[in-house]
Amino acid sequence: MAEDINRLKVVLALKKRTNKWLATELNVNPTTVSKWCTNTTQPDLYTLSRIAKLLEIDIKMLLNSNDEL
C-alpha cells in the first residue's frame, strides 16, 4: 500500500481553510486539490511552496513525517 506523502488535508483543517479556498487561491480545479488531499496525486515542489506561503507555514508541515505539528 502506498504511503501518504503529504498532510495537506490535516493542515487545511488546522488552518480552518477549505479545498475550494485553496483551489481559488492557486487558480486550479477543486478536483486537483481534492486529489492532493487524498494523496491520489501530489503537487509539484513549486506548488507545495506556494501552498505553504498561502497557509503561512513552513513547507515541512505539509510533508508526512514522524514529526508532530
Side-chain angles (χ1 to χ4, degrees):
M1 181 186 269
E3 181 182 340
D4 290 347
I5 295 173
N6 76 60
R7 304 179 72 224
L8 184 55
K9 183 177 181 176
V10 172
V11 175
L12 282 172
L14 287 172
K15 291 291 190 167
K16 297 180 178 20
R17 296 293 186 172
T18 64
N19 292 11
K20 185 176 180 180
W21 171 84
L22 185 59
T24 300
E25 291 295 312
L26 295 173
N27 197 30
V28 299
N29 191 305
T31 303
T32 301
V33 175
S34 178
K35 288 180 180 180
W36 294 339
C37 287
T38 60
N39 278 280
T40 304
T41 62
Q42 300 300 323
D44 59 36
L45 288 175
Y46 174 75
T47 304
L48 207 58
S49 175
R50 289 179 61 203
I51 293 169
K53 285 181 183 179
L54 285 168
L55 293 173
E56 299 176 340
I57 59 169
D58 188 302
I59 195 169
K60 292 177 190 174
M61 286 184 69
L62 293 172
L63 301 174
N64 198 12
S65 70
N66 293 331
D67 298 336
E68 292 295 318
L69 286 177

